Amino acid sequence: MATERLSPQHLSSLPEPQFVAALTGIFEHTDWVSQRAWKRRPFPTLQALEQALEAELHQASPAEQQALIQAHPELAGKAAIRGELTAESTDEQANAGLTACTPEEYAHLQELNRAYRERFGHPFILAVRGLSRQDIIRNFESRLDNSPDQEFTEALRQIARIAALRLRERLVEEA
């Protein structure tokens, strides 16, 4: 993650390649959201930037949205074990305690990941910041009863929430 915290105003002044580079990792392995949002400049506030990014997310084709959903890792999944998560996902999962699961919790999460992917065809997505392992497991279990359309919509909502949290961590409002 970048150590320098930029303001939305400064970000607005950057050429597209630098703008996109500054936002790498906000959306998991996906730059097209920020590439498209760049055209909506200027961003006088962090909220304006969040809204532009979210608008691009929702205006994308269903195939693009599905690809973005698929770019997300499973919670406490194989990518985490192999150390293949983005820095952002690694921090979020560790801070939620997913790297400190008991063997029973880990086995249960693996079963939930399997059942969820089998039912919906994509990974379970949840903004885990501020949640405990138990909160995550309860959320996981309850969402298995949703319809595929509900979960597709919820996945996009969670992605927008994750992006907003990551933006607020990375950017700073100008005084």
Side-chain angles (χ1 to χ4, degrees):
M1 275 189 271
T3 54
E4 178 187 0
R5 292 185 66 191
L6 301 174
S7 70
Q9 299 85 355
H10 180 83
L11 203 58
S12 293
S13 71
L14 296 177
E16 183 181 5
Q18 286 83 11
F19 177 89
V20 172
L23 295 180
T24 294
I26 298 298
F27 291 92
E28 204 76 19
H29 303 290
T30 305
D31 287 336
W32 60 258
V33 181
S34 40
Q35 286 169 334
R36 293 176 188 173
W38 179 81
K39 296 175 180 95
R40 294 177 177 256
R41 294 165 304 130
F43 305 112
T45 64
L46 187 53
Q47 183 178 12
L49 176 58
E50 286 174 13
Q51 290 170 344
L53 291 165
E54 189 168 351
E56 293 299 338
L57 171 66
H58 290 295
Q59 289 175 6
S61 73
E64 290 170 319
Q65 293 171 334
Q66 182 65 32
L68 175 57
I69 291 169
Q70 292 291 351
H72 280 259
E74 291 181 339
L75 296 179
K78 293 175 187 158
I81 294 165
R82 292 189 303 256
E84 298 172 353
L85 298 180
T86 62
E88 293 83 3
S89 287
T90 299
D91 289 345
E92 291 158 358
Q93 290 198 28
N95 289 335
L98 292 174
T99 55
C101 288
T102 66
E104 295 78 19
E105 288 170 328
Y106 178 76
H108 188 49
L109 281 166
Q110 296 314 301
E111 177 55 28
L112 289 169
N113 277 320
R114 186 206 55 74
Y116 187 92
R117 189 174 285 279
E118 187 176 285
R119 175 155 165 70
F120 300 110
H122 57 80
F124 174 77
I125 300 173
L126 178 65
V128 298
R129 194 169 298 175
L131 300 178
S132 69
R133 286 190 310 273
Q134 294 75 28
D135 294 332
I136 293 164
I137 290 169
R138 277 192 298 275
N139 197 300
F140 217 142
E141 291 168 339
S142 71
R143 284 178 47 194
L144 277 169
D145 292 330
N146 287 347
S147 73
D149 286 344
Q150 287 173 309
E151 272 310 295
F152 188 85
T153 300
E154 184 61 19
L156 293 177
R157 192 177 79 73
Q158 291 296 323
I159 288 169
R161 185 160 189 270
I162 291 165
L165 290 166
R166 289 176 178 180
L167 275 174
R168 291 180 183 280
E169 184 176 87
R170 193 174 301 180
L171 300 181
V172 62
E173 292 281 8
E174 260 183 21

